[in-house]
Amino acid sequence: MNELVKSLPSPTLPGLHLPCLDTYKGWLFKWTNYLKGYQRRWFVLSNGLLSYYRTQAEMAHTCRGTIPLATAHIEVGDTCHLVLTSGGRSYHLKATSEGECQRWVSALQQAKANATLLMHHSDDSGDEGPVPQEDRALTQGVLKTLASKLDDLSTCNELIGKHGAALQRSLSELEELRGSADSTDKVKAVNERATLFRITSNAMINACRDFLDVAESHSRRWQKALQHEREQRHHLEETIEQLAKQHNSLERAWRENPTSYTGVERSQEGDASDENDDAEFFDAMEDSPAFITVTASELCSTSIHITITLNCTNHMQLRRTRRSRIPDKPNYSLNLWSIMKNCIGKDLSKIPMPVNFNEPLSMLQRLTEDLEYSELLDRAARCDSSLEQMCLVAAFSVSSYSTTVHRTAKPFNPLLGETYELDRLDEYGYRSISEQVSHHPPAAAHHVTSQRGWSLWQHITIDSKFRGKYISVMPLGNIHLQFHSSGNHYVWSKVTSTVHNIIVGKLWIDQSGDIDIVNNTTKDTCRLKFSPYSYFSREVPRKVTGVVEDREGTAHYILSGTWDDKMESAKIVDSSQGCGGSEGKQKTVYQTLQPKLLWKKYPLPDNAENMHFFSSLALTLNEPEEGVAPTDSRLRPDQRLMEAGLWDEANSQKQRLEERQRLERKRRDAQANQALEEGQDIEGYQPLWFEKRTDDSTGESTYLYRGGYWEAKDRQDWSQCPEIF
């Protein structure tokens, strides 16, 4: 039986007269889903919010859902039905009688009217309802601290004024006693400085007083906005959890008896299931199940254009025009949560994924894409100053992330022994070769040599975890860069990449962490800080800052910018110790010259949003090349089919390649076991173009280029290459 409980009168707001807000409780039947239909639930209407529970006992600990009536739409249907809709969520309710339904409708409409008036009055006045005691105490504590600091500054200002006046009187007397021209000029200069000091202190105290006034006048509005965001976030997390559990329940029921639910649509909102699916984890390279496939689009044809140019000596040269587009990405939707819900906490490389969530590039090609702004290294090679060179190296390390801002898709995991070459000697003066040197864990080695005075190499292992709401990708390993003329050897590592909104919402990527760049030759250093995105922060999104220091720790340059747009450097001309540091430490305040642009991101090609948001370089990475090794990523069939839009065929090829790799691994394991039984030495897999050595400068064990690839390409001798495709 429903009950109407008269609550205490709400605090009266100035100029606003409302009836007391009643708490209305009772049983209603709520639509859950097509499996369970209407279920009896206990509903509570209080303070403009309608909440429901499975039982009355749950009111003490678990709320199943809440809808704010201030923004809700109330619709009365036939036969005791009513529908509440707000923010995309709908409650389909049913009462046991017409009279009971009418009482609920009246209570809901009255609560909606009161909540709407309260919300509008709160917005106009800047006031708000009760604030949690901890937040109120925190705000009051901050204001008390500010007032105390202001009193201290006022006292200091009085003392400064008193002693400043005395100093001026003394200096005036000294000026009268001593008639020397030099001493008089000095005294006048000191007198002027004392006057300026007093003026400055007055300005400081006035600014502090203004700050306190602003803080007092806006503290309530700030607290209201913060509390609202906390409530919205908590409600969203509850809703997502309920939807995920309901999805699991429906999917399990469909698997048990699929014919019973053919053609049935799911309801907009349902109860949370009390059961969880048993966790099932699959290794994509060992025990990969069948993939989900979708209909493919037609293959868009591409062509290779050759232009012929004549040089000044009338010799004819062939110069290739690189492609500037690829087939548009098919517009297929697929529920990522349905694939990854059982993979929380697992390594991303071990999750079986269809090509729908890939982009048509391999991880080896993504590593090579770091060379998009190789001209920064060309400029750095011409620098005479190692500190200026460090600024350009830092800008290069940031530029490699600029292409990822819209790239939330996953690159293909390279097969063991897969390679990728990029020969840009004619255009940019460098040649790049990379190879997949390990399978578990996945690791790649990369080596670049430039005719413009530098070499780069890296050995990167990818560690990735799925955390439920987001995916974290942590590249492990160091990047090495050496300039030929100076011998300067730089070492740094990559930051963590995070893809958010895996369950619901639009996918977006963020970069966070620190990059420590060290010049092992001169011991110069640079620490770059990638600030993680925060909804409440006033900082520029994707912000990157850094300081370049010499071996003694003296700062010479300030670096600032964003990882998706540009980086600037400003030369430091003076520094001083300021206040406001954390943990009792003083902040260093730098005075700099005007900043200079180090790097600016290239604009994306036309129609990039339909071509996986590829940059101009990325569009050419998978372009067919003649004479490459048979293990080159360009020859990988599943990746080629995906680029063409044939996703069904690509998924089939992906399964075939991974099955072939599993069999090859089992063969190697069997050979190793046989050698062990016979007492022979066991030699694991050895990459073809790289070998594991100790780096002389850093002492780390890494894969270094052993040479021979470009010579083999000139001879077109690929007899040593394994057949992996």
Side-chain angles (χ1 to χ4, degrees):
M1 186 170 72
N2 294 332
E3 50 188 19
L4 187 64
V5 181
K6 296 289 185 180
S7 63
L8 294 175
S10 301
T12 304
L13 299 174
L16 182 65
H17 301 283
L18 294 173
C20 357
L21 297 179
D22 297 325
T23 299
Y24 198 63
K25 305 177 182 178
W27 292 100
L28 286 173
F29 288 90
K30 175 183 172 297
W31 175 261
T32 57
N33 53 55
Y34 282 95
L35 297 178
K36 298 181 179 179
Y38 281 97
Q39 296 292 321
R40 193 167 180 254
R41 297 290 180 258
W42 179 255
F43 280 81
V44 177
L45 173 61
S46 177
N47 293 328
L49 299 174
L50 180 66
S51 306
Y52 78 94
Y53 311 84
R54 287 183 183 272
T55 62
Q56 297 184 51
E58 276 194 348
M59 291 179 62
H61 54 83
T62 304
C63 177
R64 297 290 172 175
T66 301
I67 189 168
L69 294 177
T71 57
H73 173 69
I74 304 173
E75 180 182 353
V76 181
D78 298 332
T79 61
C80 308
H81 285 76
L82 61 150
V83 180
L84 274 71
T85 305
S86 176
R89 294 179 298 115
S90 297
Y91 285 175
H92 295 261
L93 309 177
K94 183 173 66 172
T96 55
S97 65
E98 290 287 352
E100 182 182 351
C101 180
Q102 187 58 45
R103 286 192 292 272
W104 270 106
V105 171
S106 300
L108 291 170
Q109 290 176 343
Q110 181 63 45
K112 174 179 171 62
N114 292 346
T116 303
L117 287 175
L118 281 172
M119 182 179 67
H120 289 166
H121 186 274
S122 176
D123 290 341
D124 295 338
S125 66
D127 261 343
E128 60 172 332
V131 178
Q133 191 63 31
E134 304 88 8
D135 296 334
R136 181 182 299 173
L138 178 61
T139 303
Q140 292 176 350
V142 172
L143 293 177
K144 287 180 180 179
T145 302
L146 289 173
S148 174
K149 295 295 183 183
L150 187 59
D151 291 339
D152 294 342
L153 290 172
S154 299
T155 303
C156 292
N157 187 58
E158 293 174 1
L159 293 174
I160 290 173
K162 177 181 177 181
H163 293 297
L167 176 60
Q168 287 180 345
R169 287 196 302 271
S170 300
L171 293 175
S172 298
E173 294 172 359
L174 179 62
E175 187 175 2
E176 294 175 359
L177 292 176
R178 303 182 64 180
S180 172
D182 293 339
S183 62
T184 301
D185 292 339
K186 292 181 179 179
V187 170
K188 286 182 178 179
V190 175
N191 200 351
E192 290 175 357
R193 291 179 181 177
T195 302
L196 290 174
F197 180 69
R198 187 173 63 175
I199 293 173
T200 303
S201 64
N202 287 334
M204 178 184 64
I205 201 71
N206 290 333
C208 291
R209 183 178 289 109
D210 292 341
F211 172 75
L212 181 60
D213 293 341
V214 172
E216 289 177 337
S217 61
H218 288 78
S219 62
R220 285 180 175 270
R221 188 175 297 276
W222 293 339
Q223 188 60 48
K224 175 185 175 181
L226 179 60
Q227 182 64 21
H228 175 73
E229 293 297 333
R230 286 175 176 170
E231 292 174 354
Q232 292 296 321
R233 177 179 176 180
H234 178 69
H235 177 73
L236 180 60
E237 289 177 347
E238 288 184 341
T239 304
I240 290 174
E241 183 180 2
Q242 293 174 12
L243 289 174
K245 290 183 177 180
Q246 181 196 0
H247 186 279
N248 291 346
S249 177
L250 289 171
E251 195 171 52
R252 185 172 58 253
W254 184 86
R255 286 198 301 264
E256 293 172 355
N257 192 5
T259 58
S260 301
Y261 305 102
T262 303
V264 176
E265 298 180 354
R266 297 176 182 176
S267 64
Q268 296 182 11
E269 196 269 346
D271 279 8
S273 171
D274 293 331
E275 300 178 13
N276 292 322
D277 282 347
D278 294 334
E280 297 178 354
F281 302 102
F282 301 96
D283 186 327
M285 305 303 177
E286 300 298 332
D287 301 301
S288 178
F291 288 92
I292 300 175
T293 58
V294 294
T295 305
S297 65
E298 296 182 356
L299 171 64
C300 296
S301 61
T302 59
S303 59
I304 299 174
H305 302 280
I306 303 294
T307 62
I308 302 178
T309 61
L310 290 174
N311 62 11
C312 59
T313 59
N314 294 325
H315 289 293
M316 186 173 290
Q317 296 178 339
L318 292 179
R319 185 175 183 83
R320 181 172 182 174
T321 300
R322 305 288 176 181
R323 68 181 184 181
S324 59
R325 64 169 293 108
I326 59 175
D328 288 355
K329 175 184 177 182
N331 186 20
Y332 291 132
S333 61
L334 189 62
N335 186 2
L336 181 59
W337 177 247
S338 67
I339 295 177
M340 304 192 69
K341 64 182 184 299
N342 292 327
C343 304
I344 296 177
K346 298 294 289 182
D347 186 340
L348 197 60
S349 65
K350 298 182 179 180
I351 298 176
M353 299 274 286
V355 300
N356 304 53
F357 299 108
N358 285 76
E359 61 179 18
L361 291 178
S362 72
M363 180 58 71
L364 299 180
Q365 291 166 313
R366 284 293 291 267
L367 282 179
T368 308
E369 200 176 345
D370 288 355
L371 302 173
E372 175 106 23
Y373 299 93
S374 62
E375 70 272 8
L376 291 171
L377 301 184
D378 299 340
R379 289 166 52 193
R382 299 191 295 268
C383 283
D384 296 328
S385 168
S386 63
L387 295 172
E388 292 179 1
Q389 190 178 75
M390 173 68 84
C391 293
L392 290 168
V393 172
F396 174 78
S397 70
V398 175
S399 69
S400 63
Y401 297 98
S402 63
T403 61
T404 66
V405 63
H406 301 296
R407 304 265 292 276
T408 56
K410 175 179 176 289
F412 279 78
N413 289 331
L415 303 175
L416 187 62
E418 186 173 333
T419 61
Y420 181 74
E421 69 157 72
L422 188 68
D423 190 341
R424 292 291 189 268
L425 278 180
D426 295 337
E427 297 98 323
Y428 305 112
Y430 67 79
R431 291 198 298 190
S432 164
I433 176 64
S434 56
E435 181 180 6
Q436 188 77 357
V437 297
S438 174
H439 180 53
H440 283 306
H446 184 208
H447 182 84
V448 188
T449 301
S450 173
Q451 294 177 339
R452 300 178 183 176
W454 54 269
S455 296
L456 181 145
W457 64 96
Q458 57 181 320
H459 170 214
I460 298 296
T461 301
I462 301 298
D463 184 18
S464 52
K465 294 294 184 182
F466 174 48
R467 306 295 186 182
K469 296 180 182 178
Y470 60 89
I471 293 174
S472 294
V473 180
M474 293 80 68
L476 308 176
N478 291 325
I479 303 172
H480 297 257
L481 171 67
Q482 188 166 30
F483 293 98
H484 302 163
S485 59
S486 64
N488 287 340
H489 182 181
Y490 295 85
V491 181
W492 71 92
S493 58
K494 290 178 174 286
V495 296
T496 298
S497 301
T498 306
V499 181
H500 296 268
N501 288 349
I502 297 300
I503 300 178
V504 66
K506 183 179 179 180
L507 294 175
W508 61 278
I509 194 167
D510 193 22
Q511 315 288 347
S512 60
D514 295 338
I515 293 181
D516 291 316
I517 307 176
V518 180
N519 184 340
N520 287 332
T521 306
T522 64
K523 306 306 178 184
D524 300 336
T525 61
C526 175
R527 164 161 286 193
L528 293 172
K529 178 178 179 57
F530 287 64
S531 301
Y533 175 78
S534 173
Y535 179 80
F536 298 101
S537 175
R538 295 185 178 181
E539 297 286 353
V540 177
R542 310 179 185 97
K543 182 179 179 181
V544 180
T545 56
V547 179
V548 175
E549 298 178 343
D550 60 20
R551 65 187 307 158
E552 281 79 28
T554 303
H556 291 268
Y557 288 92
I558 294 293
L559 305 180
S560 62
T562 59
W563 54 263
D564 68 324
D565 185 25
K566 65 180 180 179
M567 287 295 293
E568 297 177 331
S569 68
K571 186 175 179 58
I572 298 173
V573 296
D574 192 17
S575 63
S576 60
Q577 296 297 321
C579 57
S582 60
E583 300 179 0
K585 297 181 181 178
Q586 290 183 319
K587 285 185 177 180
T588 302
V589 180
Y590 296 107
Q591 182 180 353
T592 66
L593 300 178
Q594 287 295 323
K596 295 181 180 180
L597 182 66
L598 293 173
W599 158 75
K600 176 73 175 176
K601 179 187 176 183
Y602 300 144
L604 290 175
D606 294 337
N607 196 40
E609 65 278 5
N610 295 321
M611 297 186 295
H612 308 274
F613 286 99
F614 281 177
S615 64
S616 298
L617 175 62
L619 288 173
T620 68
L621 292 180
N622 207 42
E623 188 174 9
E625 296 272 356
E626 293 184 0
V628 299
T631 54
D632 196 274
S633 298
R634 298 177 181 89
L635 304 177
R636 181 166 174 165
D638 53 350
Q639 185 174 301
R640 179 66 60 190
L641 288 167
M642 186 204 171
E643 180 185 274
L646 304 175
W647 287 11
D648 285 344
E649 293 84 346
N651 276 321
S652 299
Q653 286 292 329
K654 190 170 186 288
Q655 287 180 273
R656 180 186 66 81
L657 292 175
E658 291 173 351
E659 178 62 27
R660 179 171 184 163
Q661 184 166 244
R662 283 192 292 272
L663 294 176
E664 180 63 23
R665 183 179 181 182
K666 291 178 180 178
R667 184 187 66 80
R668 288 197 304 269
D669 291 343
Q671 290 179 348
N673 293 333
Q674 182 178 357
L676 184 63
E677 293 175 356
E678 297 175 356
Q680 301 176 1
D681 294 336
I682 302 175
E683 186 178 18
Y685 175 80
Q686 296 298 320
L688 186 57
W689 309 112
F690 290 81
E691 60 182 352
K692 201 166 190 178
R693 296 204 303 261
T694 300
D695 190 276
D696 297 333
S697 58
T698 62
E700 65 177 338
S701 179
T702 183
Y703 280 92
L704 299 177
Y705 180 55
R706 72 170 76 203
Y709 178 86
W710 302 109
E711 293 78 5
K713 183 180 180 182
D714 292 338
R715 300 190 307 269
Q716 282 298 295
D717 179 12
W718 304 117
S719 57
Q720 300 180 21
C721 294
E723 185 180 351
I724 60 174
F725 298 144

